Amino acid sequence: MSDRDYYKKLRKKVKDVMTKARYEHTLGVEFTAASLAMRYGIDIDKAEIAGLLHDCAKCIDDEDKLDDCKKYKIELTDVEKRNPFLIHSKLGAVYAKKLYDIDDEEIISAIRFHTTGKPDMTLLEKIIFIADYIEPGRDKAPNLKEIRKMSFIDIDEAMYMVLRDTINYLEKGEGEKDELTYDTYLFYKEIHDKKEIK
Ligand code: DGI
Ligand code: FE
Ligand code: FE
């Protein structure tokens, strides 16, 4: 099968498990991840596949999510149990392996950490995290224009900006913080602060 045929099939499979809006978002992330992969010189195919699959567990009922976590022996934190939408990244990584035959650990990991991030991410992980936030269909987050531009200039600085705004949003009372999101914020804030001192 040619790469393009493979993408066609994968897109169809993903489309079938999503709402129309989620599929539009998914294509936006695929396209944006490919563009960032070109900018930062990493494998474009991997970025596209990770972008295409990053939300493959998003459109599942919370109860079914929890059932599948039991089935696949996925351990959940208390924060995840209280906020089941957070589970779609962990579960999506397992679906990518089991339901979409992905065996590339870099792709799996980019899906796994696309919501919270984690300290010291790989380029592919950062690209999916950022593409998810800046894809053309997004319009609600503050500072999008600046963050979109920065994503193609200095990806660690863009990570800091996204995490800063996410933590601000959560601290306004919009949601309970996952420890990993906060640790990721501190990691990229330190890189940002060091640049300011220089
Ligand atoms: O699945 P998407 O909507 O495309 O994007 P996503 O997987 O990044 O999820 C986005 C939401 O996740 C966004 O509203 C911010 C939220 N989020 C990120 N970190 C945390 C969080 N929400 C909570 N409650 N706690 C977190 O630590
Ligand atoms: Fe997501
Ligand atoms: Fe997403």
Side-chain angles (χ1 to χ4, degrees):
M1 202 181 347
S2 77
D3 280 357
R4 286 298 130 184
D5 285 345
Y6 175 72
Y7 285 132
K8 245 185 167 169
K9 273 202 155 155
L10 200 57
R11 285 199 193 101
K12 166 90 175 65
K13 205 169 161 179
V14 168
K15 187 180 183 189
D16 285 346
V17 297
M18 283 180 178
T19 62
K20 194 162 180 294
R22 183 58 46 181
Y23 184 63
E24 290 295 318
H25 161 70
T26 294
L27 292 183
V29 175
E30 180 191 357
F31 156 83
T32 306
S35 308
L36 287 165
M38 291 176 199
R39 157 66 179 89
Y40 291 103
I42 68 160
D43 191 308
I44 299 170
D45 290 336
K46 279 196 195 193
E48 283 200 77
I49 294 169
L52 204 46
L53 289 175
H54 83 285
D55 273 341
C56 70
K58 183 86 178 186
C59 296
I60 311 275
D61 290 342
D62 284 349
E63 252 180 60
D64 294 339
K65 276 200 196 88
L66 294 168
D67 283 351
D68 270 359
C69 285
K70 266 192 203 137
K71 176 173 160 189
Y72 293 119
K73 301 195 167 51
I74 300 172
E75 282 191 29
L76 298 176
T77 63
D78 289 337
V79 179
E80 286 168 333
K81 285 180 197 156
R82 286 193 292 269
N83 302 274
F85 81 93
L86 285 171
I87 299 170
H88 78 278
S89 47
K90 263 186 188 172
L91 189 57
V94 172
Y95 283 176
K97 244 188 212 169
K98 309 260 183 196
L99 309 180
Y100 296 88
D101 297 323
I102 303 297
D103 54 14
D104 185 304
E105 288 301 329
E106 285 186 8
I107 294 177
I108 303 286
S109 182
I111 298 170
R112 163 67 186 90
F113 294 105
H114 86 264
T115 304
T116 57
K118 68 170 179 154
D120 203 10
M121 291 158 84
T122 65
L123 259 178
L124 182 63
E125 287 163 349
K126 287 187 273 200
I127 282 175
I128 297 302
F129 184 88
I130 296 280
D132 193 19
Y133 199 86
I134 67 167
E135 63 94 358
R138 296 280 203 205
D139 59 3
K140 294 199 177 52
N143 309 311
L144 261 181
K145 194 170 175 210
E146 293 81 0
I147 295 174
R148 283 184 169 129
K149 186 170 177 188
M150 186 56 77
S151 299
F152 287 86
I153 297 171
D154 178 341
I155 200 163
D156 285 338
E157 184 65 14
M159 287 294 300
Y160 163 72
M161 293 162 88
V162 170
L163 286 152
R164 173 201 64 196
D165 290 352
T166 300
I167 293 293
N168 270 336
Y169 169 81
L170 294 172
E171 285 185 347
K172 271 193 292 179
E174 304 294 340
E176 184 180 11
K177 257 183 259 149
D178 188 295
E179 209 176 304
L180 204 46
T181 308
Y182 199 67
D183 288 349
T184 311
Y185 163 67
L186 292 179
F187 183 88
Y188 288 98
K189 182 177 186 303
E190 199 176 322
I191 294 178
H192 164 84
D193 289 348
K194 276 192 189 139
K195 280 180 201 144
E196 290 223 312
I197 295 165
K198 270 184 209 157

